[in-house]
Amino acid sequence: MKKLFLFLALGASVAFTSCNKDDDSPNSNDEIVGTWIDATGNYEDIYVFNGDNSGNYVEKENGDVIDEESFTWSKVVDSYVLIYGGDESYNEKYTIGEVDGKKVLLDDESEEAAIKQ
């Protein structure tokens, strides 16, 4: 009886134990999702794109945060539009390109804005 109880307890614990779940966000597999960094001299721009269309931008100088803003992003054809703080007039548009085998974020003038990490 004791062995049966232990077997049932073990079976129940296995059944109710969950594994780490993958990100089920609708855009979790979009190529923009992840961290993009532009490091130039003492300055660093960091963009973090999440699969739920949210994101965060951090600007650093000499390792100190000098600006930080959240944004939402959406894909429009082959471009990505970032809207900062919910203000649609405060937005930026990017595309994804490739330079030297690395994915790069390109601004609306096709200038390199960041490299995917």
Side-chain angles (χ1 to χ4, degrees):
M1 183 72 156
K2 199 176 196 182
K3 287 183 182 179
L4 178 61
F5 177 76
L6 288 173
F7 180 75
L8 290 174
L10 178 63
S13 67
V14 169
F16 291 109
T17 302
S18 65
C19 300
N20 285 341
K21 198 173 175 186
D22 290 338
D23 185 358
D24 288 335
S25 300
N27 295 309
S28 61
N29 293 324
D30 195 293
E31 66 181 329
I32 201 163
V33 173
T35 302
W36 300 74
I37 298 177
D38 177 35
T40 308
N42 297 330
Y43 291 94
E44 191 173 41
D45 292 321
I46 304 166
Y47 299 85
V48 178
F49 292 84
N50 302 313
D52 65 356
N53 292 79
S54 68
N56 195 52
Y57 166 78
V58 176
E59 182 181 358
K60 293 183 177 183
E61 182 178 8
N62 297 319
D64 297 325
V65 174
I66 58 174
D67 188 22
E68 185 170 8
E69 297 187 54
S70 61
F71 60 82
T72 57
W73 64 270
S74 60
K75 187 171 185 177
V76 180
V77 187
D78 63 346
S79 297
Y80 296 89
V81 177
L82 282 61
I83 298 173
Y84 292 90
D87 181 358
E88 295 205 19
S89 65
Y90 184 34
N91 64 64
E92 294 177 326
K93 187 175 178 182
Y94 294 96
T95 56
I96 295 177
E98 192 170 312
V99 174
D100 297 329
K102 295 182 180 182
K103 289 193 183 254
V104 295
L105 200 58
L106 302 170
D107 65 18
D108 58 353
E109 296 175 0
S110 296
E111 300 275 331
E112 186 177 312
I115 299 171
K116 188 162 189 182
Q117 302 301 296

